[in-house]
């Protein structure tokens, strides 16, 4: 049994939804369908989810969201007309209009795109619509209830017909709607795949597969045929944006493969994401390169730091108190850098420095901003000599200064830090070193 998730571009127009329909109906194994809200129809268009967030803001500011909600209405009405389905979507939108002044939640507003898309898709396919609120649960603090949701999803296995489920949201105990973070329908799809014990989780999008590097930075990068859950986790965490970074957790437990497929080119192989290491010959050493700009690093120096028991704990507790999640901790004998992705205000910087001075009394402390982190990821690295040398040579030849180096203990990645201004050049240099 296959769980399929279709993203916003697949759900954007009647034409694309008909492609989705053909894909689903071409294989009876495709029984559980998770949908995103309709995305952009062209580069100037606005995603339905963004319109709904805007409607919520307008409602808060002006006491009415009629104008923007009518744009959502128009979009769904014309979608239904063009699909020639016997569905009057207006009462559903009327209900949203009625709820908007009452609800205080942006999550409720944003979730309605997936909800309406699910209603439409179920009609198109003649499948059963099951609202995500019935199976995806959050506790009163808004924390996702993993076990409870999984138990509820498991019951879907008994469904006789195909099922359509809206992605992205679920319900809290007080019946209010809670969404995952943006792009969260991928996560919903993964949860359904785990719950119904699917043989495959197909994630249908608008690219032929996972690119080795961001196509907005590298011209026509190669696509990956396969990668492991761990590699995907590293790459998506570092900014590669085909899949929501949390999506692998549910499927990883059961070892369910994820396949990235292209709705607009269904015969393309796509990218397969599995548990096992690649065994193929000619497997590249580096599976992918991804990175993020605008990180911050705090450099601390103190003579005899290495002998001071508890130094790292004291430093880290300052970051914990300030709710800053630490990403990397490269250390020297008497130096330590703490790298994190937050961009601090002047005041926050001053406070952080003050706290660190009190905690560990360093001889030198400096905040470095505009730091880009780039991850070079691949299981092949563990068994191949010279990978780091190749990365550093490529960067040196492009006249790029490396500010930081960190290698994960699993030897799955090498992280380098460069100045934001060098980010794009660095990605290109590394890509060329391994792929050209
Ligand atoms: N529609 C939501 C978003 O734009 C969720 C999703 O597409 O997965 O983020």
């Amino acid at each position: 049994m296959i769980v399929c998730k279709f993203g916003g571009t697949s759900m954007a127009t009647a034409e694309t939804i008909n492609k989705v329909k053909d894909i689903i109906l071409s294989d009876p194994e495709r029984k559980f369908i998770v949908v995103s809200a309709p995305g952009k129809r062209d580069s100037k268009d606005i995603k339905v989810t963004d319109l709904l967030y805007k409607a919520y803001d307008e409602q808060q500011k002006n006491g009415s969201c009629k104008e923007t909600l009518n744009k959502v209405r128009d979009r769904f009405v014309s979608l239904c007309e063009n699909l020639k389905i016997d569905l009057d979507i207006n009462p559903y939108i009327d209900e949203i209009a009625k709820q908007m002044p009452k609800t205080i939640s942006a999550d409720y507003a944003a979730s309605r795109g997936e909800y309406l898309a699910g209603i439409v898709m179920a009609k198109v396919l003649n499948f059963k619509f099951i609202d995500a609120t019935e199976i995806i649960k959050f506790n009163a603090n808004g924390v996702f209830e993993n076990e409870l949701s999984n138990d509820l999803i498991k019951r879907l296995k008994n469904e006789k017909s195909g099922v359509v489920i809206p992605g992205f949201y679920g319900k809290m105990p007080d019946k209010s709607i809670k969404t995952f973070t943006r792009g969260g329908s991928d996560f919903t799809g993964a949860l359904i795949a785990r719950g119904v014990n699917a043989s495959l989780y197909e994630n249908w999008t608008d690219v032929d597969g996972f690119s080795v590097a961001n196509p907005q930075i590298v011209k026509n990068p190669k696509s990956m045929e396969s990668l492991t859950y761990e590699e995907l986790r590293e790459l998506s965490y570092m900014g590669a944006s085909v899949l929501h970074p949390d999506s692998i957790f549910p499927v990883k437990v059961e070892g369910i493969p994820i396949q990235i497929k292209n709705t607009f080119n269904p015969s393309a192989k796509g990218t397969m994401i599995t548990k096992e290491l690649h065994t193929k010959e000619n497997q590249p050493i580096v599976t992918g390169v991804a990175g993020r700009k605008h990180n911050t690093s705090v450099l601390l120096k103190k003579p005899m730091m290495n002998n001071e028991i508890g130094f790292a704990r004291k430093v880290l507790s300052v970051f914990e108190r300030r709710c800053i999640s630490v990403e990397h901790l490269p250390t020297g004998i008497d130096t330590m850098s703490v790298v994190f992705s937050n961009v601090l205000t002047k005041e926050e910087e001053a406070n952080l420095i003050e706290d660190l001075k009190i905690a560990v009394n360093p001889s030198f402390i400096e905040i470095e901003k505009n730091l880009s982190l780039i991850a070079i990821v691949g299981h092949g690295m563990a068994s191949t000599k010279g990978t780091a040398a190749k990365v550093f040579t490529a960067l040196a030849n492009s006249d790029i200064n490396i500010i930081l180096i960190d290698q994960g203990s699993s030897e799955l990645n090498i992280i380098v830090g460069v100045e934001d201004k060098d980010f794009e050049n660095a990605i290109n240099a590394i890509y060329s070193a391994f792929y050209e």
Side-chain angles (χ1 to χ4, degrees):
M1 181 202 308
I2 301 173
V3 171
C4 304
K5 180 259 168 179
F6 289 88
T9 36
S10 305
M11 297 298 296
T13 65
E15 205 189 333
T16 64
I17 290 181
N18 277 324
K19 286 188 201 298
V20 169
K21 179 185 173 185
D22 290 346
I23 290 167
I24 295 168
L25 298 184
S26 69
D27 186 344
E29 288 293 304
R30 295 188 174 121
K31 196 178 158 197
F32 292 96
I33 313 302
V34 174
V35 290
S36 277
K40 292 183 180 189
R41 289 160 292 189
D42 54 62
S43 58
K44 291 196 191 80
D45 199 14
I46 307 177
K47 282 172 131 190
V48 164
T49 310
D50 291 319
L51 280 176
L52 289 162
Y53 277 121
K54 190 163 172 251
Y56 171 78
D57 286 343
E58 279 173 14
Q59 181 71 44
Q60 296 303 300
K61 277 191 207 118
N62 316 330
S64 165
C65 63
K66 211 167 168 198
E67 206 178 301
T68 304
L69 198 56
N70 275 342
K71 288 189 184 154
V72 176
R73 185 189 295 271
D74 291 348
R75 227 176 134 179
F76 277 97
V77 167
S78 71
L79 204 54
C80 293
E81 273 170 18
N82 294 337
L83 284 165
K84 300 188 176 57
I85 46 172
D86 180 22
L87 169 70
D88 182 5
I89 203 79
N90 281 300
Y92 295 94
I93 316 252
D94 293 342
E95 177 60 25
I96 299 169
K98 211 168 103 194
Q99 293 299 327
M100 286 295 270
K102 292 188 214 160
T103 177
I104 43 145
S105 135
D107 285 14
Y108 167 78
S111 72
R112 297 303 83 189
E114 269 70 14
Y115 172 73
L116 295 170
I119 304 256
V120 170
M121 200 65 228
K123 190 77 193 175
V124 167
L125 294 166
N126 201 14
F127 277 17
K128 183 173 175 185
F129 173 79
I130 295 185
D131 197 356
T133 50
E134 291 176 35
I135 46 177
I136 305 287
K137 304 287 180 184
F138 293 83
N139 72 15
N141 297 322
V143 177
F144 174 59
E145 293 263 29
N146 194 21
E147 303 282 306
L148 173 60
S149 304
N150 198 32
D151 286 345
L152 293 167
I153 294 167
K154 276 183 186 162
R155 297 186 200 161
L156 299 184
K157 273 198 246 175
N158 303 327
E159 291 294 337
K160 298 276 175 292
S161 71
V163 171
V164 176
I165 301 154
F168 189 38
Y169 69 93
K171 192 166 78 175
M172 307 231 285
D174 67 357
K175 294 194 166 49
S176 60
I177 298 279
K178 170 92 186 128
T179 63
F180 296 118
T181 52
R182 295 297 302 262
S185 302
D186 289 338
F187 186 53
T188 308
L191 293 170
I192 307 294
R194 175 187 62 180
V196 302
N197 204 5
S199 56
L200 178 66
Y201 171 29
E202 286 179 344
N203 193 290
W204 290 85
T205 175
D206 55 1
V207 288
D208 276 350
F210 214 83
S211 296
V212 169
N214 183 348
Q216 278 158 4
I217 300 176
V218 173
K219 216 168 153 204
N220 298 325
K222 294 204 164 74
S223 287
M224 303 172 202
E225 259 184 44
S226 60
L227 71 160
T228 65
Y229 298 131
E230 277 83 13
E231 289 170 332
L232 174 68
R233 169 78 180 142
E234 296 279 345
L235 289 166
S236 50
Y237 185 73
M238 287 300 280
S241 64
V242 175
L243 259 192
H244 189 283
D246 293 344
S247 318
I248 57 153
F249 292 117
V251 286
K252 193 178 164 184
V253 183
E254 302 293 333
I256 302 165
I258 309 175
Q259 190 170 25
I260 310 283
K261 293 279 288 175
N262 189 352
T263 301
F264 305 93
N265 186 14
S267 57
K269 260 189 167 169
T271 301
M272 200 61 144
I273 303 150
T274 51
K275 197 174 195 164
E276 267 81 49
L277 297 180
H278 320 282
T279 48
K280 278 191 232 108
E281 284 166 31
N282 305 327
Q283 181 63 45
I285 300 160
V286 167
T287 309
V289 182
R292 284 195 256 110
K293 281 179 154 179
H294 311 309
N295 300 276
T296 308
S297 161
V298 179
L299 172 63
L300 297 149
K301 293 186 188 171
K302 190 175 184 187
M304 311 286 284
M305 180 195 285
N306 62 329
N307 286 339
E308 194 176 320
I309 290 171
F311 188 91
R313 180 184 52 75
K314 286 180 212 155
V315 168
L316 290 177
S317 61
V318 169
F319 284 86
E320 186 180 348
R321 274 203 307 280
R322 299 209 151 265
C323 294
I324 297 174
S325 167
V326 172
E327 308 230 346
H328 298 280
L329 209 62
T331 52
I333 302 172
D334 293 330
T335 64
M336 176 185 275
S337 290
V338 186
V339 182
F340 50 94
S341 60
N342 310 44
V343 177
L344 303 182
T345 61
K346 280 257 164 295
E347 193 188 343
E348 286 167 338
E349 272 179 29
N351 290 340
L352 180 65
I353 290 185
E354 201 43 46
D355 282 3
L356 287 167
K357 280 184 180 164
I358 295 169
V360 290
N361 189 25
S363 58
F364 177 88
I365 181 164
E366 188 180 68
I367 294 197
E368 186 130 30
K369 290 188 284 193
N370 308 322
L371 175 70
S372 288
L373 294 177
I374 299 171
I376 300 104
V377 177
H379 278 294
M381 275 183 218
S383 53
T384 318
K385 296 184 187 93
T387 314
K390 221 168 172 177
V391 172
F392 303 148
T393 309
L395 293 176
N397 288 345
S398 302
D399 207 17
I400 295 166
N401 182 34
I402 302 176
I403 300 173
L404 163 160
I405 301 164
D406 197 3
Q407 178 167 31
S409 12
S410 59
E411 288 187 63
L412 175 62
N413 64 15
I414 297 171
I415 310 268
V416 291
V418 299
E419 279 182 60
D420 280 348
K421 69 171 178 50
D422 292 327
F423 178 68
E424 286 82 6
N425 285 344
I427 299 257
N428 271 294
I430 297 166
Y431 177 83
S432 305
F434 289 95
Y435 282 91
E436 276 166 11

